[in-house]
Amino acid sequence: MTQPTTPVRIPQAIIVSDLADELGVSSIDIIKELMKNGVMATINQVIDFDTAAVVATDLGFEPEEEERETSSIDLENTSDSDTETTTTSLRLVEDTADTDLVNRPPIVAVLGHVDHGKTTLLDQIRSANVVASEAGGITQHIGAYQASGPDGRIITFIDTPGHEAFTQMRARGAQVTDVAIIVIAADDGLMPQSREAIDHVRAAGVPMVIAINKIDAPNADLERTKTQLTEVELVPEDFGGDQVVVPISALQGDGIDELLDNVLLVSDLNQPKANPDRDAVGIVLESASDRQRGVVATLLLQTGTLHQGDALICGLTSGRVRAMIDHNGNRITEAGPSSPIEVMGLSDVPPAGERFEVRTSEKIAKREVEDKARLLAAEGEERETVTLDTLFGEIHKGNVQDMNIVLKADVQGSLEPLVETLDNLSTDEVNTKVIHASVGTVNESDVQLAVASTGVIIGFNVQPETGAKRLAEQEGVEIRLYDIIYDIISDIEQAVQGMLEPTFEENQDAIVEVRQVFRLGRRNAIAGSYVREGTVPRNAKARVMRDGELVHDDDISNLKRFTDDVREVATGLECGIQIEGFSDFQEGDEIIVYHMERTL
Ligand code: GDP
């Protein structure tokens, strides 16, 4: 497409054939363009402006609301800008080096035990404080929204409560949250998932505000809840500590202003900043493929300004911002730092937590994705696993700061002494840190936490859940299971000192029967053997068994078929075997051939 862009006015809703007339192209062309964007439509179907605008833009038109002068079509044909690929991808995310930093709204996540009122709180804040935009559209759930605090300052709320989402994003390398609100119901008090949430937030190094909810409930006990907080080393300010705790009733809307005030106060300590004058960088909060609109992704901008028409790269997906919608459902053409927006125009659904960046053209973005995909394919399955012994190496190389441990045990009584002992194993070089300890099986949330924190999981008298096991394998996280406390301590101690021996497992290759013995002088003999089961490899170990008793165990030093040295001998064949340091074979001996394999 090389024609210059032509402005065109398109109504809020238009029939496909009318759009074709308007643009002076055939309906088939429109339908083809729609299909390219994942939308299946018929000639008589009504499509909305956003969708029509996408097609019009693709066909070289500039739909009504287009504000930017640079059209994507020009950009796509600027072939000499291709060389920018590498430099653009090296740009920093953090704006620390930028001089044009301005304050940006804090990004807040809400975590806590199930039914303690996270959703009610998010709904209450949204309905009472949401920042309305000029057009005042209908508030819609797009995974995040912006509300204003009592002083008029804006706060961005991530609308997916819970630590699963929080840590899943962190596991993908995305750290977006500036402040976490931990919701604890005053009638229930501190529950297992409250502790879990607190550990997840702590592991992320994100400051917390505790909201003690349901203070209106008949059996609410504020004092008891605060006392429980001290047990997890969160000492409320009125108890002499420095943990901000705000009593609220999410249901009745009490204490919400104070909560928002405190969130801003805590965020001010680290004053989040960004540069609105640069290209946008951010993460995907959620995404889905919609039959009508194609791929729709909710993005959260960490820095920069995103414009309609910008080309994006997002993990293994690329595309162009064809339409942008704010959290009020209004169509917008640009969005600044900390804004949550819905974007149409990516070619594929990116995973939550994936980072996006702007590129100079869609073509460059696409090529970069192709290169990345090729690279990944070439690297294949070689995913590095974080294990106790590799972790030491990483710490040594300065890649990891701490030896982070997620600890699970069958009973509370085993946890406390273990946490204490493990925390005390730190050396000058390695800081051992139990980032989460709880009773129960190893679950997916534990694995996510270990991934996000580059840690290992230790299970004492517990098993991993099937899903957790699968996820751990996929993500390369080690789950070490023990039934003797001392073994845990001794392994961590050795790992900390960088001396942990890798663990090996015996793998049987073959069972062989000695049928004839050939003596070669006094100290040498060949066992003329028959392979009953499996295959005998040359570089293996052999255990000679006689009447069920072990006679000798060492390496195979020689493997022959007739007079030739061979690399292996299969089932049903005869061969000559020599074993290191052994010549006393007897007919009828059984040889178990095996090798040792590293378990992780
Ligand atoms: P979530 O699982 O943490 O998202 O919890 P929800 O927001 O779904 O709330 C669980 C239940 O607690 C619902 O029945 C809410 O109506 C109720 N709830 C939430 N906040 C309050 C509150 O401040 N007071 C009382 N009494 N009930 C509440």
Side-chain angles (χ1 to χ4, degrees), residues 110-123 161 183 185 187 212-218 248-254:
V110 177
L111 296 84
H113 195 77
V114 65
D115 279 348
H116 278 201
K118 300 178 293 292
T119 313
T120 310
L121 174 64
L122 280 162
D123 288 349
V183 177
D187 53 352
I212 301 187
N213 190 29
K214 305 197 189 183
I215 49 165
D216 61 289
I248 61 163
S249 167
L251 199 62
Q252 300 180 350
D254 295 333

